[in-house]
Amino acid sequence: MIKEPAKDRLVRRRPTPPDFAIAFADGMPVPPNEHLIQECDLVYLVGEIDEFLVRLVASALFRLAVHNREEITLLISSEGGDVMGALAIADAVRYVRQRGVKVVGRVHGYAASAALLVLLACSERLATPDSVLMAHGMEGSFYIGDVRSIEAEHKLTQDLVRRMATQFARRTNKDVGFWHAILSDSTPVYFLTDEALEIGLIDGKVPEIDDA
């Protein structure tokens, strides 16, 4: 477990995508294709989680569930983003699971911050051997608004931290206190794949490719 000082992130903007896409290619959403949707069982969560990515990923999951897929793989390569958006995707994952569909979350490279909330919701959680997972606390905007607004946001943040710490504790072998301390501090805490497996943050590793 490695702690490093928080670093400012660059905000990357994408053009407004169509209402539905099942994957990304070169950073841009793939146009809707009903035949592809019916044949594919892979959904990409790649890049920063924002309102557009939430719409794309959630609609892809819903559409595949309607087509009665038995298993969906959610490929995650994300540095995080909007917490509420991540919770919306996590809710979509849970809804699909309630319909009897297994959702396998596969981390390829990086699953950080809000992206971990999505991974946590999956039926099975895997990561490639060289992946990095990262957790840290929520960052509020307490300097904006009047006193009541500040107090309301602070209460919401505390409630969300408690709830997320409980969810992490249920799906890992670390207790609520362990996760609450991490989620209450903006300092990033990094877990390499082996350590993530050790603490139960993932269920297994994606097999390595033999280059020989």
Side-chain angles (χ1 to χ4, degrees), residues 165 168-170 172-176 178-179 199:
F168 272 95
R170 288 174 179 170
T172 67
N173 53 34
K174 293 294 185 180
D175 60 21
V176 173
F178 175 86
W179 290 111
I199 68 172

Side-chain angles (χ1 to χ4, degrees), residues 39-119:
E39 297 299 324
C40 183
D41 59 2
L42 178 64
V43 178
Y44 288 77
L45 194 166
V46 177
E48 183 175 354
I49 298 174
D50 57 19
E51 61 179 301
F52 302 124
L53 191 58
V54 172
R55 182 170 54 182
L56 295 172
V57 173
S59 59
L61 290 168
F62 291 147
R63 190 72 65 90
L64 286 172
V66 168
H67 285 293
N68 299 316
R69 309 301 296 186
E70 294 183 1
E71 181 176 310
I72 298 172
T73 297
L74 179 60
L75 192 152
I76 301 173
S77 182
S78 171
E79 72 276 24
D82 181 66
V83 172
M84 303 309 293
L87 291 174
I89 297 176
D91 283 344
V93 170
R94 294 188 181 96
Y95 170 79
V96 170
R97 291 179 58 188
Q98 288 175 351
R99 292 180 61 94
V101 180
K102 180 180 180 180
V103 180
V104 179
R106 288 175 56 124
V107 179
H108 284 245
Y110 205 46
S113 188
L116 272 187
L117 300 175
V118 178
L119 179 66

Side-chain angles (χ1 to χ4, degrees), residues 24 45 58 72 97 102 111 135-136 150 183 187 197 207:
F24 284 89
L45 194 166
I72 298 172
R97 291 179 58 188
K102 180 180 180 180
H136 67 83
I150 294 172
L183 298 173
T187 303
L197 181 60

